[in-house]
Each structure stands twice: as structure tokens, then as C-alpha cells.
Amino acid sequence: KHIMKLTNNKIILLATLIMTSFSALALKDDTNQPINIVSDNQSLDMEKSVVTFTDNVSITQGSILIKANWVVITRPPENSGKKETVEAFGTPVTFHQQLDNGKPVDGKANKVHYDLGTEFLTLTDNAELKQLDSKINGQLINYDVKKQQLKANGNGKSRVTTVLIPSQLQQAKGK
């Protein structure tokens, strides 16, 4: 039993390291690129500092591509020291980014929340992160971009699932 528990802990650690390396390997120039948002409709509430994009929303920044049905960007009050938050909703919201090593990272969830100030990303409801054929699925995936730490949770009815492809792990290790 002890050996099985140790092996399971190593697998979980390995899966976490793989998934958290996605951001570290992302194209370094992406965050310096302009953000382009295209949608069928847009509304602005200047009093609440909220911009809402609806229907066929597409957000690009460098190699990053996010597609959603509905996106809400909220700007905090001036001098609050906080940054914008982005909430995206879809069936599902999809995310794609090209890494420096040329490999793609794809993600999806029915709701995505990103706090630009804390650099904390939350994927909720049928969440998935995938690199090539390796992936992690859960009801909730939290990712701390600064700390490069990932945590996935089930919902009581479903468990977290991780699929690792040994040949891809060996290729990643050799680079």
C-alpha cells in the first residue's frame, strides 16, 4: 500500500509539474502584444466600468486565442491598486496558446475567470487543460500564473482525471 501511495503521489506531482510548465513555456512575447477583441455585440457601462462582449467573441493576444459566447471585463476603481478581471462564458470557452517549444496548449471550460492583478486563472464546469495528448480534466481547475501552481478538483460526483503519454513525457524530458 505504501509503495502504491508513493507512486500515486509521484504521478500527481508529475502531472502538476507538466501542467504548470505550460505558462512558463508560453511565448514570452504574448503578454506584450496588443489585445484584440472581436464580437457581434458590445456594450459599455461607464458608471460601473464594465464592458460586455456577446455572441461569437474572439480574443487574441500574440499566439493566444480565446473564443467564448460572452465576455465581461470589469475595471476596478482608479487608485484602488487592483487590475481588471475577465470573465468568459461559453459552451465551452476555448483557449489556445503556442509555447516557445512550438507545442500547443489548449484549454476549455464553461466558465473562465482571470484576475489580471493576482494573475490567477479559474476554469469551472467541465474544465480541461491539454498539451498534445496529455491532459487534466476536473470540475474546477485553479492556476496561479505567478507561482506556476495548479490545483484541480472534482465535484463530488466526478473525480479529477489525468492522462499522461509516456512517449511525450520522454520527449519533453530530452529537450
Side-chain angles (χ1 to χ4, degrees):
K1 268 189 165 180
H2 179 69
I3 293 172
M4 182 63 125
K5 187 173 183 179
L6 186 61
T7 302
N8 285 342
N9 287 342
K10 286 181 180 180
I11 290 171
I12 291 167
L13 176 64
L14 180 61
T16 304
L17 290 173
I18 290 166
M19 300 310 286
T20 57
S21 68
F22 287 169
S23 180
L25 296 173
L27 288 175
K28 292 176 181 73
D29 199 36
D30 277 348
T31 56
N32 296 323
Q33 299 296 317
I35 298 171
N36 299 293
I37 304 171
V38 179
S39 64
D40 291 346
N41 303 290
Q42 174 184 334
S43 64
L44 169 64
D45 183 335
M46 292 187 70
E47 188 176 315
K48 294 181 180 176
S49 298
V50 174
V51 183
T52 303
F53 302 90
T54 56
D55 303 316
N56 299 316
V57 183
S58 178
I59 303 171
T60 58
Q61 184 181 26
S63 76
I64 298 169
L65 171 63
I66 298 170
K67 292 189 176 191
N69 298 350
W70 171 33
V71 174
V72 178
I73 300 174
T74 305
R75 171 169 261 162
E78 283 192 48
N79 302 322
S80 69
K82 295 183 178 181
K83 291 188 178 181
E84 292 81 5
T85 59
V86 178
E87 287 193 292
F89 304 87
T91 49
V93 176
T94 60
F95 167 87
H96 175 84
Q97 185 172 24
Q98 196 72 32
L99 305 181
D100 278 340
N101 65 9
K103 294 178 182 173
V105 171
D106 293 285
K108 66 181 180 178
N110 291 344
K111 179 181 176 186
V112 176
H113 177 87
Y114 185 62
D115 185 317
L116 279 75
T118 60
E119 294 186 41
F120 201 81
L121 177 70
T122 303
L123 292 87
T124 308
D125 197 15
N126 298 316
E128 176 181 280
L129 283 176
K130 181 177 178 180
Q131 184 177 31
L132 299 175
D133 293 324
S134 296
K135 66 181 177 178
I136 187 165
N137 293 79
Q139 178 63 23
L140 176 71
I141 298 175
N142 289 307
Y143 183 62
D144 186 325
V145 177
K146 282 182 189 173
K147 295 180 181 176
Q148 296 184 14
Q149 294 177 346
L150 178 138
K151 182 178 179 183
N153 299 92
N155 65 2
K157 296 176 186 171
S158 65
R159 299 172 67 190
V160 175
T161 303
T162 302
V163 177
L164 303 171
I165 307 302
S167 61
Q168 292 172 6
L169 293 174
Q170 290 302 320
Q171 289 172 357
K173 197 176 183 182
K175 289 193 175 189

